[in-house]
């Protein structure tokens, strides 16, 4: 994690969010959520769901092709006087292909996305934690 992402500031908040999405992308690439899971609170239902989805995709010799998160645009109104910070995040992700152990498609690929999410975060014990994540529709 970059040192900036550990800072309780607007720049730190935005660096943490970028790092979180980089870890999500890495999880899709490797099947490991080891570095992603500690960055989110157990109360973040979408965070938990994304992690479980990655783990499920990699079960029984399956693997994921694509799914790389290419960019994330982050906008936040950092306010040090409130306990929960909120940011809007644009995420562009490649199509997700889950492949069987023999390389064949396991299921119909998920299309590429260009979506926006609302992220809620708190700064606890000198670290940012993602406490909520939801798609903006």
């Amino acid at each position: 994690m970059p040192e900036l992402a550990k800072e309780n500031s607007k720049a730190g908040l935005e660096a943490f969010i970028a790092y979180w999405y980089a870890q999500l992308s890495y999880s899709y690439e490797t099947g490991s959520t080891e570095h992603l899971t500690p960055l989110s609170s157990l109360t973040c239902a979408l965070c938990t769901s994304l992690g479980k989805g990655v783990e499920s995709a990699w079960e029984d010799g399956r693997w994921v092709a694509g799914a790389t998160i290419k960019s994330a645009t982050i906008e936040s109104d950092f306010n040090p006087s409130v306990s929960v910070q909120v940011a809007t995040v644009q995420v562009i992700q490649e199509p997700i292909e889950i492949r069987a152990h023999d390389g064949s498609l396991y299921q119909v690929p998920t299309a590429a996305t260009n979506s926006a999410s609302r992220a809620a975060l708190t700064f606890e014990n000198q670290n940012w934690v993602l406490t909520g994540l939801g798609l903006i529709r």
Side-chain angles (χ1 to χ4, degrees):
M1 180 181 307
E3 286 302 312
L4 181 59
K6 300 175 186 176
E7 187 178 291
N8 187 8
S9 66
K10 179 179 172 77
L13 169 76
E14 293 175 359
F16 176 84
I17 293 169
Y19 179 74
W20 190 92
Y21 277 99
Q23 291 310 303
L24 177 59
S25 186
Y26 178 79
S27 293
Y28 278 113
E29 292 172 28
T30 64
S32 172
T33 58
E34 175 184 6
H35 299 291
L36 178 66
T37 302
L39 304 174
S40 307
S41 134
L42 295 176
T43 62
C44 182
L46 183 54
C47 303
T48 301
S49 178
L50 287 168
K52 287 182 179 181
V54 167
E55 291 167 356
S56 175
W58 281 82
E59 287 178 344
D60 301 324
R62 294 187 300 265
W63 50 279
V64 174
T68 302
I69 296 171
K70 294 182 179 182
S71 71
T73 302
I74 304 160
E75 295 179 10
S76 67
D77 292 323
F78 182 79
N79 181 346
S81 66
V82 298
S83 61
V84 177
Q85 302 297 327
V86 177
T88 302
V89 186
Q90 178 192 16
V91 180
I92 300 169
Q93 187 173 24
E94 293 178 349
I96 303 170
E97 295 181 359
I98 300 176
R99 300 279 178 170
H101 61 77
D102 64 0
S104 64
L105 276 174
Y106 176 75
Q107 65 187 38
V108 175
T110 303
T113 59
N114 182 348
S115 60
S117 295
R118 179 186 176 276
L121 303 98
T122 59
F123 193 76
E124 304 170 356
N125 302 319
Q126 304 304 313
N127 291 295
W128 286 106
V129 176
L130 189 58
T131 58
L133 187 64
L135 292 176
I136 298 172
R137 298 181 194 265

